[in-house]
């Protein structure tokens, strides 16, 4: 972890995008003691550029101090020892008298005695929060630094009953895996954040953000030019700038491959890359229901779900015919007694559209069309899944 | 104020003298005998066809209920005394009879190998073999 110490911490705006930030990180106590505190926000720490705020530890109590309001336990997980501030529960104070009074007080007629049970519950709660040296404690809570010392302010804690070490062993086996798979993996925040600061819904690796940008680019293109149908080959060129400028820092506005003469091998691999990216993007748009193929034929024609179709991959919002058919279905069926009250269910609309228009229409496509119709106030939704005509 | 962390060592690493005096260790073994008069217990374990013994000074953890033949976990500082030689000055001594030693060993090794990968084998977690 020391290698990265020179690196700058990521800006606080991006912290929330790191899933580790909002999780209770199961760090070794050794690391909790060593991680660097953020210079932007006190109370946030960095392990390998992952922002850490709260942690989850399990260890043996090796030190104990009791105050009126809290316990301070020194917890040892075999790599380090840290103080844990564990507040006493309110009930602790109210019933601080010895709990021994709750010995089996002749269960009246063997019936259920709520007072008795409550006492037992309080007693067991007290037992699980009052530990002795040698007991095993699990603590979750934010990391604090007070008077130059790291400590954990327990938001929850309990005594772990672990007579055969099963809990501790599984913990010891699990934590290295967590480190290898997550905590030690480099943080991706800074990479995707550069190109797209808002609408990037897939906050994942650089590859998925490339896909996100490609799909946005295609969507914008389809909308702007009100494309109704297209053949994949014609649109593929749109993505060339994305592939030729893979380093996401500089999206190259020039659609032609700008860099100096490339090796044939490189060109080939970039065209392969382009092809793959385009196929993925098209699949994504299809999944979202924005485009579909009216007829599955060797002639790959897609329709846009948003407009007017003739013979290719259709673009849903442009597919007037599809809109007309859907509207008619709803209008006609809403009059039928069966649907009069609630309107037509999406699945009913879907099956009718499939019968009357094209068998290849997916539910997502119908949903896009319904949304478009609803926006135009041609239909209204009666419930989440029911639509009726005006 | 807080004591040093009790790092897991195998009993045979301790009995072979590979661990330095003063180190805080955590180890295990079967309770072979307990002498309350001397506050001394012996944990024994079997490894590589040899019996290994770790002497435990129990003054801090008394009174405790000794179960001869049961597995125990001990946490404490290694010290050298004139009479007994190398022994663990126990701060924690827990009975963990029924523990699966094979899995425990693999868990200890897993943790060590993680630190080894991370820090290139220079950590205190890795006593020489």
């Amino acid at each position: 972890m020391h290698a990265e110490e020179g690196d700058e911490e990521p800006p606080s705006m991006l912290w929330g995008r790191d899933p580790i930030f909002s999780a209770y990180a199961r760090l070794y106590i050794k690391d909790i003691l060593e991680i660097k505190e953020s210079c932007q926000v006190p109370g946030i720490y960095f392990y390998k550029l992952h922002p850490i705020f709260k942690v989850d530890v399990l260890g043996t109590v090796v030190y104990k101090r009791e105050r009126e309001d809290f316990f301070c336990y020194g917890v040892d997980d075999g790599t380090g020892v840290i103080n844990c501030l564990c507040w006493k529960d309110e009930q602790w104070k109210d019933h601080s008298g010895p709990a021994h009074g709750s010995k089996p007080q002749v269960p009246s007629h063997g019936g259920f005695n709520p007072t008795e049970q409550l006492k037992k519950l309080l007693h067991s709660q007290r037992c699980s929060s009052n530990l002795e040296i040698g007991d095993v404690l699990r603590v979750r809570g934010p990391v604090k630094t007070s008077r130059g010392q790291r400590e954990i302010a327990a938001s929850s804690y309990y005594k772990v009953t672990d007579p055969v070490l099963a809990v501790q062993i599984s913990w010891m086996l699990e934590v290295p895996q967590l480190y290898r798979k997550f905590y030690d993996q480099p943080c991706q925040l800074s990479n995707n954040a550069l190109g797209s600061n808002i609408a990037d819904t897939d906050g994942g690796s650089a590859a998925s953000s490339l896909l996100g940008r490609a799909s946005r680019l295609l969507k914008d293109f389809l909308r702007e030019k009100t494309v109704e149908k297209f053949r994949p080959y014609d649109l593929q060129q749109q993505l060339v700038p994305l592939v030729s400028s893979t380093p996401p820092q500089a999206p190259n506005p020039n659609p032609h491959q700008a860099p100096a003469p490339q090796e044939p091998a490189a060109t080939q691999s970039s065209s392969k890359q382009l092809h793959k990216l385009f196929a993925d993007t098209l699949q994504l748009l299809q999944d979202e229901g924005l485009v579909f193929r009216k007829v599955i034929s060797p002639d790959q024609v897609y329709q846009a779900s948003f407009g007017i179709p003739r013979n290719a991959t259709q673009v849903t919002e442009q597919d007037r015919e599809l809109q007309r058919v859907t509207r008619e279905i709803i209008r006609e069926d809403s009059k039928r007694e069966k649907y009069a009250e609630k309107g037509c269910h999406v699945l009913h609309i879907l099956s009718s559209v499939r019968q009357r228009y094209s068998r290849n229409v997916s539910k997502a496509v119908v949903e896009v069309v319904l949304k478009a119709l609803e926006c135009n106030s041609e239909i209204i939704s009666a419930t989440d899944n029911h639509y009726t005509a005006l | 104020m807080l004591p040093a962390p009790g790092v897991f060592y195998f009993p045979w690493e301790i009995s072979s003298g590979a661990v330095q005096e003063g180190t805080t260790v955590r180890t295990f073994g079967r309770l072979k005998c307990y002498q309350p008069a001397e506050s001394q217990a012996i944990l024994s374990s079997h490894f590589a066809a040899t019996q290994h013994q770790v002497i435990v000074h129990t003054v801090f953890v008394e009174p405790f209920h000794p179960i001869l033949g049961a597995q125990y976990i001990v946490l404490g500082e290694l010290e050298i005394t004139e009479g007994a030689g190398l022994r663990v000055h126990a701060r924690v001594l827990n009975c963990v009879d029924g523990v699966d030693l094979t899995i425990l060993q693999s868990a200890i090794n897993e943790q060590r190998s993680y630190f080894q990968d991370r820090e290139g084998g220079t950590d205190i977690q890795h006593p020489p073999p």
Side-chain angles (χ1 to χ4, degrees):
Chain A
M1 65 173 283
H2 310 286
E4 274 95 342
E5 270 182 355
D7 288 354
E8 250 176 66
E9 58 191 60
S12 56
M13 275 243 317
L14 303 177
W15 291 350
R17 296 180 51 157
D18 190 332
I20 297 172
F21 181 61
S22 38
Y24 287 95
R26 293 192 185 178
L27 294 180
Y28 285 120
I29 290 176
K30 170 184 160 67
D31 289 334
I32 300 175
L33 294 170
E34 287 175 2
I35 47 179
K36 210 161 48 112
E37 188 163 10
S38 160
C39 47
Q40 304 169 65
V41 183
I44 308 293
Y45 300 81
F46 283 95
Y47 177 79
K48 297 209 170 178
L49 298 184
H50 290 292
I52 305 278
F53 155 56
K54 41 194 186 175
V55 292
D56 188 351
V57 301
L58 176 88
T60 313
V61 174
V62 292
Y63 170 87
K64 176 188 177 178
R65 197 174 40 154
E66 185 172 354
R67 290 277 182 273
E68 192 187 337
D69 290 337
F70 63 89
F71 291 106
C72 188
Y73 294 117
V75 177
D76 177 343
D77 72 344
T79 68
V81 186
I82 194 166
N83 267 324
C84 299
L85 232 71
C86 300
W87 293 95
K88 290 179 185 172
D89 201 336
E90 285 298 310
Q91 279 151 345
W92 244 95
K93 293 180 222 157
D94 297 346
H95 307 261
S96 46
H100 310 296
S102 60
K103 290 214 175 102
Q105 274 179 359
V106 191
S108 44
H109 324 306
F112 182 78
N113 182 350
T115 342
E116 186 70 16
Q117 298 301 323
L118 184 66
K119 258 188 203 164
K120 275 190 197 161
L121 188 66
L122 284 176
H123 177 63
S124 69
Q125 196 185 4
R126 211 166 303 154
C127 289
S128 74
S129 59
N130 187 7
L131 289 86
E132 294 305 326
I133 286 178
D135 287 342
V136 178
L137 175 66
R138 178 156 180 204
V139 177
R140 293 175 141 203
V143 182
K144 298 267 151 87
T145 306
S146 94
R147 295 191 204 119
Q149 271 202 327
R150 286 282 153 84
E151 60 188 27
I152 300 172
S155 48
S156 67
Y157 69 100
Y158 60 93
K159 175 178 171 175
V160 178
T161 321
D162 194 16
V164 294
L165 292 187
V167 181
Q168 288 171 84
I169 290 172
S170 77
W171 189 277
M172 286 169 74
L173 288 168
E174 193 182 358
V175 172
Q177 296 301 322
L178 285 173
Y179 267 90
R180 290 203 167 102
K181 283 193 195 139
F182 305 105
Y183 308 148
D184 284 346
Q185 294 305 315
C187 183
Q188 302 278 357
L189 302 181
S190 25
N191 295 347
N192 349 343
L194 286 166
S196 49
N197 19 19
I198 358 160
D200 196 357
T201 42
D202 35 32
S205 61
S208 72
S209 94
L210 184 64
L211 185 60
R213 284 192 293 149
S215 78
R216 268 199 303 281
L217 200 140
L218 276 197
K219 278 184 216 168
D220 290 348
F221 180 80
L222 293 177
R223 273 212 180 101
E224 247 168 57
K225 310 274 178 197
T226 54
V227 175
E228 298 153 18
K229 296 180 182 172
F230 59 92
R231 285 188 172 76
Y233 179 80
D234 302 328
L235 269 191
Q236 189 165 321
Q237 294 309 313
Q238 290 296 319
L239 298 183
V240 168
L242 285 182
V243 174
S244 59
S245 65
T246 312
Q249 283 86 346
N252 190 350
N254 185 356
H256 306 290
Q257 294 192 329
Q262 284 173 316
E263 305 279 310
T267 321
Q268 201 186 8
S269 84
S270 86
S271 85
K272 236 186 217 166
Q273 212 183 337
L274 175 65
H275 193 76
K276 163 114 181 26
L277 177 65
F278 186 73
D280 288 349
T281 314
L282 205 53
Q283 187 57 49
L284 192 75
L285 293 186
Q286 245 177 315
D287 291 346
E288 287 179 19
L290 295 177
V291 304
F292 66 99
R293 291 171 67 186
K294 188 173 179 186
V295 183
I296 304 283
S297 64
D299 175 31
Q300 295 197 328
V301 173
Y302 284 76
Q303 311 234 6
S305 316
F306 28 92
I308 310 168
R310 259 331 92 100
N311 19 298
T313 297
Q314 318 234 344
V315 185
T316 315
E317 287 181 22
Q318 302 296 340
D319 192 337
R320 295 271 152 74
E321 177 67 12
L322 177 56
Q323 288 192 8
R324 193 184 59 74
V325 170
T326 314
R327 199 168 49 224
E328 262 171 30
I329 291 170
I330 299 177
R331 203 167 277 164
E332 284 164 18
D333 286 354
S334 305
K335 286 179 195 145
R336 287 165 57 184
E337 199 180 328
K338 190 176 166 192
Y339 302 110
E341 193 179 336
K342 271 180 112 179
C344 310
H345 193 270
V346 174
L347 293 178
H348 167 72
I349 299 170
L350 175 62
S351 70
S352 308
V353 168
R354 280 186 176 157
Q355 276 174 22
R356 284 171 55 171
Y357 181 74
S358 157
R359 281 188 305 154
N360 301 317
V361 171
S362 71
K363 189 175 174 222
V365 168
V366 168
E367 278 167 352
V368 168
V369 172
L370 288 172
K371 207 182 269 173
L373 287 175
E374 201 184 359
C375 278
N376 295 343
S377 298
E378 296 184 72
I379 58 169
I380 50 174
S381 56
T383 73
D384 276 353
N385 288 316
H386 292 83
Y387 291 86
T388 183
L390 284 173
Chain B
M1 192 169 66
L2 290 173
V7 180
F8 258 113
Y9 286 91
F10 295 119
W12 40 95
E13 290 168 343
I14 293 172
S15 63
S16 71
V19 189
Q20 267 198 334
E21 185 192 358
T23 315
T24 305
V25 299
R26 192 188 299 233
T27 193
F28 54 87
R30 231 167 246 296
L31 185 67
K32 196 175 159 199
C33 69
Y34 174 53
Q35 300 148 320
E38 280 108 70
S39 285
Q40 188 162 292
I42 293 175
L43 298 183
S44 81
S45 50
H46 204 75
F47 176 70
T50 330
Q51 203 70 21
H52 298 267
Q53 287 194 350
V54 175
I55 301 169
V56 179
H57 191 44
T58 54
V59 70
F60 286 169
V61 292
E62 282 165 352
F64 80 106
H65 177 64
I67 306 168
L68 291 181
Q71 284 287 349
Y72 277 81
I73 282 270
V74 62
L75 187 157
E77 278 70 35
L78 263 192
E79 59 179 16
I80 295 178
T81 56
E82 285 174 14
L86 194 66
R87 67 177 185 184
V88 180
H89 201 128
R91 285 188 276 124
V92 173
L93 183 66
N94 282 341
C95 177
V96 291
D97 205 32
V99 64
D100 187 333
L101 284 185
T102 332
I103 303 184
L104 176 63
Q105 285 175 38
S106 71
I108 295 172
N109 283 326
E110 172 73 21
Q111 190 166 323
R112 282 185 184 179
S113 79
Y114 167 72
F115 277 105
Q116 220 150 21
D117 291 350
R118 189 168 95 173
E119 290 167 27
T122 53
D123 195 64
I124 47 148
Q125 296 274 330
H126 327 292

